[in-house]
Amino acid sequence: MSLSLLETEDETMLRDAARGWLADNAPVAALRKMRDAGQAFDTGLWREMAAMGWSGVLVPESSGGAGMGHRAAGILAEEMGAVLAASPYLSSAVIAATALQGASEKLAAIAGGELVYALAVDEGTKHAPERASLHADRIGNGFRLSGTKVFVAEGASADRVLVLARTSGAAGDALGLTLFDIDAGRAGLSRTAKATVDSRDHAELRLEGVEATGEDVVGDVDNAMAVLAPALRAGQAGVAAEMLGVAGGAAAMTLGYLKERKQFDRTIGSFQALQHRAAHLWSELEVTASAVAHAGRMLDADPEAAEMAVSLAKARATKTADLAVREGVQMHGGIGMTDAYDIGFYMKRARVAAEWLGDYGYHAAKVAAARGF
Amino acid sequence: MSDEAARLAAFRKDIAAWIEDACPASLRGRALGEDSIVWGGKRWAFAHADQKEWFDAAVAKGMTAPMWPTEVGGAGLTRPEEKIYREEMARLNAPPPLESFGLWMLGPALLHFGTPEQKAMHLPPVVRGEIRWCQGYSEPGAGSDLANVQTRAEDMGDHWLVNGQKIWTSYADKADWIFALVRTDRSAPKHKGISFMLIDMASEGVTTRPIRLISGKSPFCETFFDNVKVPKDYGAGGSAIVGELNCGWDVAKYLLTHEREMIGGGARGLLGGRSMGEFIGSLEESVAQDPVIRAEAMALEVDSLAFALTMERYKDRAEGGKGVGDASAMLKYYGTELNKRRYELLMSASGSAGVEWDGPHGSLAPEWLRTKANSIEGGTSEVMLDILSKRVLGMPSS
């Protein structure tokens, strides 16, 4: 593929604008404030992001979106990651907007920021969509859904939930799964917010005889992957971009500290042992930035062929963010261990994002499979 | 499709057809070892007729130096065209028709700093593989501290008198000419008294002595200059010095950027020319399923693919006029460390068969040992990290 990974002028403008706005409106201090108030995200902030077109980044202009594409979506996710901006951006604007392609009214509501979506896929501790066993039994013309979903991002606050359910086959079969679009307030659906280390909204969803009709089915019955796989790819590329941002934000904060902190009558950044570790981290960031840009470009150019590029990005971003936050806390020394200092927030978000939509091993194995081993 | 995209698609088709036609099937998909590389030079002997056929076809089309101007024998390809050429070469498993320090290093230096006379004299023979160059940089007392070179060139009126010793001169014993850093002003600060000089290795007083390495091979030499007379002017070929007198450090730094990108780039597509998938597939079943080996193979594949994308991104950036500059130290650092990891995996996956000098895996063992030099030659990993931390990250000097 000879896609250029360089940013276009438009992309750089989008990045600069996002960075400026986020610095003013959603710095890490905002996340801290929400955490202290027991809030997962700021709905007012999300409405402002919507007004800038971010919630409609993947929604076609004909449905009221901005139709900017996946590379642009990744740039926004990266900038949000750099300041740990909490919002339903990936769940709603990236994942749900991709799964619901063609559903014009819903897309318009997502783009307008009026409707927040969550995706409920996993049931075990690791990402494995085809292992879903939450079952949707046919009752007359409709379905009745029962089972439990875990680690649902934005699960406690979303207005609607895309629920992956088994309509036939056994856990482990890629076929026999159906994606339902359910109102979060529907009878039989209960949600338990989990207090996760990143202070974001993650919930367990319990469905006990939740009724659904054919109209609630996204795509075709027994063939959820046709609509879910593209949505997962978009989400995985998005979370990879966010993690690149998390890594970059943590690295920048750490580099700043190395240049300012004095011990032994000199700035600690003048010590070669720390310089080499910082330079190594920067190298990893550069290499990961290429993988993230490539995933976005591939999703825009040829989404069906983008699976390996997306897994490459998520695998790399997971490793790089892990390195950045570990080095970040260590190089900050004692102050890095305090709640009062921001670096710890990066470590906590990186850990959660590492697990979301497939961990390092999941995606490295996908890359290997695509490369023939 | 835009006009440009359509033109490039047509170019891809044409160049693929040319490779298919010009590169004999016997050369394709073969493991790329030291002995299958065509280096050229006055004393070069082709291994077989097919190798020469491919070389001749490439020279005739300028494809030994795809991006060099047609005036000096190159093909004058644009960056997108060259990228397509490399992609098609990789897809068709065709080996490079010619590799040399002339192509990688002297050429870029002359194209940037050379006079028209110097370009006209030296570049066409490089493209045609007639002259093989070596690089005279390091000295016993000038390794990481390269600017400390002591080999001196005294001004004798119509010629320079060169005395001193170089070390780690790759293939000096097989080269026809050397581009060397020599001290032309001993009173100036060490970076300011160096010149970049072109010297005929056949000159009286030049001797070489191969150095036996841990790999058992001797790709590097010691090179001695004992009262070597170097003409100040090669007539129509211009000056023996490239760039301004005493400004050799600028040329050297520029060249080191190229060298670092090249050494870093060597990490792609190795594994004896095979993909990781093919390599794993070739292993004994129990080894191919070994979870530790598989985990390292996966991690290496992830990092290698991402690094290859980074090489492309940096090249695109350089082409866009933005330059890579000091960040090329990252490519050198990352690529060479990856290559070493790759060979460690190859060795552990090969088990006891890998430790034979000439076993079922051919020259794997010497190649593995040779890779250890990757993170030393052209600037050590530690020097690269110094460059990155000081010049890219702006960290303070100690």
Side-chain angles (χ1 to χ4, degrees):
Chain A
M1 267 295 175
S2 32
L3 301 167
S4 172
L5 300 181
L6 297 184
E7 270 177 31
T8 64
E9 275 179 42
D10 284 353
E11 286 165 352
T12 302
M13 276 170 58
L14 176 71
R15 181 185 291 283
D16 291 346
R19 184 173 296 177
W21 188 86
L22 287 162
D24 293 340
N25 296 281
V28 184
L31 174 71
R32 177 186 295 280
K33 215 168 127 190
M34 281 190 291
R35 179 200 65 173
D36 294 345
Q39 229 185 322
F41 71 89
D42 179 343
T43 46
L45 203 69
W46 180 235
R47 270 197 294 275
E48 287 182 52
M49 290 182 185
M52 292 186 290
W54 295 4
S55 54
V57 65
L58 294 179
V59 173
E61 290 179 70
S62 56
S63 298
M68 290 189 275
H70 292 276
R71 178 64 192 122
I75 287 171
L76 291 175
E78 185 185 340
E79 293 302 324
M80 291 185 216
V83 291
L84 304 176
S87 83
Y89 173 74
L90 290 177
S91 291
S92 203
V94 173
I95 298 172
T98 305
L100 295 168
Q101 282 302 318
S104 206
E105 281 177 27
K106 287 173 180 171
L107 290 177
I110 288 173
E114 300 130 35
L115 210 50
V116 168
Y117 265 92
L119 175 69
V121 171
D122 291 318
E123 299 172 16
T125 55
K126 290 285 178 182
H127 178 63
E130 67 290 340
R131 295 212 54 81
S133 65
L134 180 149
H135 51 99
D137 303 321
R138 280 170 207 270
I139 307 292
N141 283 335
F143 300 87
R144 191 170 285 162
L145 281 65
S146 294
T148 301
K149 292 289 179 184
V150 301
F151 200 39
V152 180
E154 268 61 67
S157 50
D159 304 302
R160 297 188 72 84
V161 188
L162 296 175
V163 179
L164 183 64
R166 187 155 292 285
T167 33
S168 68
D173 296 345
L175 284 174
L177 293 166
T178 303
L179 192 65
F180 290 89
D181 180 354
I182 306 281
D183 188 293
R186 199 169 287 185
L189 173 63
S190 58
R191 314 194 263 182
T192 310
K194 298 283 180 180
T196 47
V197 293
D198 64 346
S199 310
R200 301 270 296 256
D201 174 4
H202 296 278
E204 182 177 300
L205 269 56
R206 184 178 288 273
L207 285 77
E208 287 171 292
V210 172
E211 292 190 3
T213 67
E215 293 200 352
D216 298 325
V217 172
V218 184
D220 297 324
V221 173
D222 282 345
N223 193 20
M225 284 305 168
V227 288
L228 184 61
L232 287 173
R233 284 198 291 269
Q236 287 154 348
V239 71
E242 184 199 333
M243 294 183 87
L244 172 64
V246 170
M253 185 175 283
T254 304
L255 186 63
Y257 187 75
L258 292 177
K259 289 179 180 175
E260 152 203 312
R261 169 74 172 164
K262 285 199 169 141
Q263 287 286 274
F264 308 104
D265 299 322
R266 52 200 271 208
T267 52
I268 60 173
S270 67
F271 290 111
Q272 198 179 44
L274 297 182
Q275 290 178 342
H276 284 193
R277 281 161 59 182
H280 173 75
L281 174 57
W282 182 82
S283 304
E284 296 287 5
L285 279 163
E286 281 291 293
V287 172
T288 295
S290 309
V292 166
H294 182 243
R297 289 270 184 268
M298 285 296 291
L299 283 171
D300 285 332
D302 190 357
E304 291 304 310
E307 187 178 24
M308 185 183 85
V310 168
S311 283
L312 181 65
K314 177 65 163 73
R316 279 288 318 180
T318 299
K319 268 276 147 80
T320 303
D322 173 56
L323 178 69
V325 299
R326 282 189 291 107
E327 290 288 61
V329 170
Q330 176 65 22
M331 291 190 194
H332 274 85
I335 201 162
M337 287 301 296
T338 63
D339 183 70
Y341 209 86
D342 286 343
I343 191 73
F345 282 94
Y346 285 87
M347 178 168 270
K348 291 180 270 193
R349 178 58 189 161
R351 186 82 280 283
V352 174
E355 294 300 327
W356 195 32
L357 304 178
D359 65 3
Y360 178 81
Y362 178 90
H363 288 289
K366 284 220 184 260
V367 171
R371 299 287 289 174
F373 67 102
Chain B
M1 203 184 272
S2 68
D3 288 354
E4 175 65 1
R7 197 185 64 74
L8 289 176
F11 175 81
R12 186 184 291 277
K13 210 167 146 239
D14 290 349
I15 206 73
W18 174 75
I19 297 167
E20 293 250 34
D21 181 54
C23 183
S26 70
L27 298 181
R28 289 200 246 144
R30 272 168 53 129
L32 251 190
E34 292 272 303
D35 49 358
S36 57
I37 295 174
V38 176
W39 290 101
K42 286 179 184 169
R43 286 166 281 170
W44 182 254
F46 288 96
H48 42 82
D50 284 355
Q51 202 181 48
K52 184 173 188 313
E53 183 186 328
W54 171 223
F55 169 83
D56 286 341
V59 168
K61 205 176 162 69
M63 295 307 276
T64 50
M67 287 183 75
W68 289 14
T70 50
E71 302 91 83
V72 297
L77 299 192
T78 63
R79 160 78 181 134
E81 289 169 343
E82 187 262 352
K83 204 164 160 182
I84 289 171
Y85 169 60
R86 272 188 295 110
E87 285 170 358
E88 292 302 307
M89 289 278 284
R91 188 178 63 80
L92 295 166
N93 262 317
L98 175 69
E99 300 196 54
S100 76
F101 293 96
L103 288 173
W104 294 328
M105 292 153 80
L106 177 74
L110 285 184
L111 287 169
H112 192 82
F113 293 96
T115 62
E117 293 77 17
Q118 287 172 326
K119 290 179 196 175
M121 174 178 177
H122 299 294
L123 294 181
V126 167
V127 177
R128 295 193 297 263
E130 292 163 0
I131 296 291
R132 183 170 179 179
W133 286 82
C134 63
Q135 179 197 46
Y137 275 22
S138 297
E139 296 181 6
S144 287
D145 185 11
L146 181 60
N148 194 40
V149 290
Q150 300 298 327
T151 295
R152 62 187 189 277
E154 286 169 273
D155 188 341
M156 306 300 279
D158 66 335
H159 68 273
W160 300 100
L161 190 67
V162 180
N163 279 287
Q165 181 193 347
K166 294 288 173 184
I167 195 168
W168 314 126
T169 328
S170 303
Y171 303 114
D173 54 334
K174 299 182 175 71
D176 305 305
W177 280 67
I178 185 169
F179 49 94
L181 295 182
V182 296
R183 193 155 295 284
T184 37
D185 183 351
R186 280 194 277 175
S187 60
K190 67 178 180 182
H191 292 88
K192 306 282 184 193
I194 298 169
S195 296
F196 188 97
M197 190 173 278
L198 309 179
I199 305 171
D200 189 339
M201 290 292 277
S203 312
E204 196 176 327
V206 179
T207 50
T208 62
R209 191 160 66 200
I211 304 166
R212 187 174 160 91
L213 299 185
I214 55 175
S215 61
K217 305 216 169 178
S218 305
F220 302 135
C221 297
E222 289 175 290
T223 305
F224 302 91
F225 298 92
D226 186 14
N227 288 322
V228 175
K229 284 185 183 174
V230 176
K232 277 196 171 170
D233 203 291
Y234 289 114
S239 171
I241 286 174
V242 178
E244 298 291 314
L245 181 68
N246 296 325
C247 292
W249 188 246
D250 296 335
V251 185
K253 272 198 305 186
Y254 176 82
L255 254 191
L256 279 168
T257 306
H258 272 268
E259 182 180 12
R260 284 166 188 163
E261 287 171 25
M262 180 200 68
I263 295 175
R268 290 173 302 159
L270 285 178
L271 290 172
R274 288 171 299 186
S275 73
M276 185 66 83
E278 285 168 329
F279 172 71
I280 298 284
S282 73
L283 298 172
E284 286 172 24
E285 182 61 18
S286 62
V287 181
Q289 295 306 325
D290 180 303
V292 176
I293 285 179
R294 284 188 66 80
E296 175 56 10
M298 284 181 194
L300 199 46
E301 192 70 353
V302 164
D303 293 344
S304 301
L305 289 168
F307 180 69
L309 292 169
T310 306
M311 289 284 294
E312 295 299 334
R313 182 162 68 91
Y314 272 47
K315 281 185 185 170
D316 283 340
R317 200 161 81 188
E319 182 70 8
K322 291 181 187 170
V324 170
D326 294 324
S328 72
M330 189 281 279
L331 299 179
K332 202 279 177 181
Y333 165 63
Y334 209 96
T336 56
E337 295 297 335
L338 259 185
N339 204 32
K340 289 196 298 179
R341 263 174 74 193
R342 193 167 273 260
Y343 270 89
E344 287 299 334
L345 174 69
L346 286 168
M347 286 299 286
S348 64
S350 301
S352 61
V355 299
E356 293 179 45
W357 282 116
D358 193 14
H361 294 285
S363 57
L364 177 61
E367 284 171 22
W368 158 67
L369 291 161
R370 172 65 181 81
T371 61
K372 301 307 174 196
N374 294 164
S375 51
I376 301 169
E377 59 201 327
T380 63
S381 283
E382 289 71 20
V383 168
M384 297 304 104
L385 292 172
D386 271 346
I387 290 171
L388 294 175
S389 59
K390 302 248 170 37
R391 299 195 208 142
V392 178
L393 298 180
M395 298 181 82
S397 296
S398 44

